Amino acid sequence: MGKKLVNPDRLCMGCMEILDGMYKVCPKCGFSLGAYQQPANTLSPYEILNGKYLIGKVIGVGGFGITYIGWDFYQSKRVCIKEYFPKNIAVRAADTRPDTHTASYSIEVYTVNNMAQAQQIYMRGLNSYITEAENLSKFYLMPGIVSVRDFFYGNKTAYIVMEYIEGMDMKQFAKACGGTIEANYLFSILKDVIKALYAVHNEGMVHRDISPDNIMINRQYQAKVIDFGAAKDFYIGQEYAVFLKHGFAPVEQYNRHGIQGPWTDVYSLCATIYYLLSKVRLQRSYERLSNDTIVPLHKLGVQILPQWEKAVMKGLEIQPAGRYQSMAEMYYDLYMEKI
């Protein structure tokens, strides 16, 4: 027998908890729909996508998309819904349908320069978005990576439905631990993340945006990498560099002709490890070409095994050729075992 359908009016749009009464303020998370400040160009709470996903509040807005908390009516569970929405070339058109008086929140492409070029860029990113979601769905049961549950087109854009991870990102976790994470613990919980990235790389995909806020840790203290997106492949003039996370992006990502691969994620992951161990954000990678100020971790007072420090520093080599070329190579040097 299937699960009983939940009345949307009983769901908090902030945390998607099922409430046992009507509340103006959610007693579990403190969310108030009346006080909710909806970000521009986003879907409103209570919108339904694909006939089965309820949209809640916005939980993230990035250069390439918008993330919402959601509810899966079929599975009766919380989900995370990502909408493809590239910054600076997309705007939401809320047109009311005269027959039903309901709104259609489709997306339109706009540009002050070349409309045809903007349309081409938008569609290339859109197709890559769905293609990568399809590829990532293969890793549904793999530890160390967020599970993709569904993906579909709608509103002239695309959506990816993923598991909702109850927990916090690694940046928040480090802060909760007093600012940094002990090396023994950090390297133990990152084993699954490195294995997952290795598997993803073997499918020809590269994350390109690994950072402390793109690795989550759940209530079982399992780490999972999130926020993949092949849409990051494209750029719009000089806007490309704006979407990079300075201090975590390797030098090849600052060059539109730079060759990216698994070594790109190696740098970003090692920069993330460096930050979580020391609370030091590295200088921009291209600045290191002329004046490299990086300091070995042990000189910053980090208690770390020499083999771990050596592996991290190799992963932080400025030139791609000097780094590990695969996650498997780095994994072996860290853990003395093969993936």
Side-chain angles (χ1 to χ4, degrees):
M1 188 173 180
K3 293 184 179 180
K4 186 178 180 180
L5 187 66
V6 176
N7 185 336
D9 290 335
R10 291 188 57 203
L11 290 167
C12 168
M13 292 296 102
C15 65
M16 289 295 166
E17 285 283 350
I18 301 174
L19 306 178
D20 57 5
M22 300 297 290
Y23 297 91
K24 290 185 177 180
V25 178
C26 175
K28 297 185 179 181
C29 74
F31 178 81
S32 169
L33 191 61
Y36 176 58
Q37 296 295 316
Q38 182 182 345
N41 280 320
T42 62
L43 294 173
S44 301
Y46 291 106
E47 286 294 318
I48 296 177
L49 299 176
N50 211 30
K52 58 181 177 179
Y53 300 112
L54 181 72
I55 288 289
K57 75 171 184 179
V58 173
I59 55 178
V61 177
F64 298 93
I66 302 167
T67 305
Y68 308 85
I69 189 171
W71 182 262
D72 182 340
F73 284 119
Y74 285 16
Q75 296 292 321
S76 289
K77 64 172 60 176
R78 247 177 310 208
V79 291
C80 182
I81 302 173
K82 288 190 64 178
E83 178 182 49
Y84 173 67
F85 196 98
K87 184 179 179 182
N88 295 338
I89 63 168
V91 64
R92 193 174 305 280
D95 300 321
T96 300
R97 301 169 187 166
D99 55 337
T100 61
H101 301 288
T102 59
S104 173
Y105 293 94
S106 62
I107 289 175
E108 302 293 343
V109 176
Y110 78 93
T111 177
V112 295
N113 297 316
N114 189 322
M115 175 61 76
Q117 182 185 33
Q119 287 279 3
Q120 185 180 31
I121 291 171
Y122 180 86
M123 290 307 300
R124 186 166 72 245
L126 179 63
N127 292 334
S128 294
Y129 195 74
I130 283 292
T131 298
E132 186 147 310
E134 184 176 12
N135 289 333
L136 287 172
S137 67
K138 300 173 185 176
F139 307 105
Y140 180 77
L141 297 176
M142 176 172 281
I145 187 172
V146 64
S147 295
V148 173
R149 301 180 182 277
D150 196 5
F151 46 91
F152 53 90
Y153 291 103
N155 295 330
K156 296 184 181 179
T157 186
Y159 299 88
I160 302 175
V161 181
M162 301 171 292
E163 66 172 310
Y164 182 85
I165 301 175
E166 294 189 59
M168 62 183 74
D169 64 48
M170 293 298 286
K171 185 175 181 180
Q172 295 168 325
F173 184 60
K175 185 176 180 180
C177 292
T180 60
I181 303 173
E182 291 185 3
N184 287 343
Y185 186 68
L186 180 62
F187 285 109
S188 69
I189 63 174
L190 287 181
K191 291 183 77 170
D192 284 342
V193 168
I194 299 174
K195 288 179 179 179
L197 288 170
Y198 174 68
V200 168
H201 291 162
N202 282 344
E203 290 293 320
M205 295 178 287
V206 184
H207 189 288
R208 297 183 180 86
D209 194 23
I210 297 173
S211 64
D213 50 357
N214 276 340
I215 301 176
M216 298 287 293
I217 185 163
N218 63 19
R219 291 184 177 180
Q220 291 73 45
Y221 296 99
Q222 299 166 324
K224 298 191 177 195
V225 63
I226 64 169
D227 200 23
F228 283 80
K232 299 177 182 116
D233 281 344
F234 74 84
Y235 58 85
I236 309 164
Q238 298 302 312
E239 293 297 328
Y240 180 66
V242 174
F243 300 136
L244 301 180
K245 290 192 176 76
H246 302 304
F248 302 100
V251 67
E252 63 266 24
Q253 285 190 283
Y254 287 92
N255 181 352
R256 66 180 61 181
H257 301 297
I259 300 175
Q260 299 179 37
W263 50 88
T264 302
D265 286 347
V266 165
Y267 185 97
S268 297
L269 180 60
C270 287
T272 295
I273 293 170
Y274 192 99
Y275 174 85
L276 295 172
L277 291 173
S278 67
K279 206 177 178 180
V280 174
R281 185 174 181 143
L282 297 179
Q283 66 192 118
R284 300 183 185 194
S285 53
Y286 65 82
E287 296 174 345
R288 295 181 59 202
L289 292 168
S290 57
N291 180 32
D292 190 2
T293 62
I294 192 169
V295 176
L297 286 162
H298 74 274
K299 291 188 177 181
L300 295 174
V302 177
Q303 300 296 312
I304 185 172
L305 292 177
Q307 74 187 56
W308 291 346
E309 181 174 40
K310 184 179 179 180
V312 172
M313 298 307 288
K314 181 174 180 178
L316 289 174
E317 283 289 331
I318 302 172
Q319 297 297 342
R323 295 177 221 144
Y324 294 108
Q325 297 300 290
S326 73
M327 287 290 171
E329 294 174 13
M330 185 171 75
Y331 186 91
Y332 183 81
D333 281 357
L334 284 171
Y335 305 108
M336 295 298 138
E337 62 185 43
K338 294 182 179 180
I339 290 181

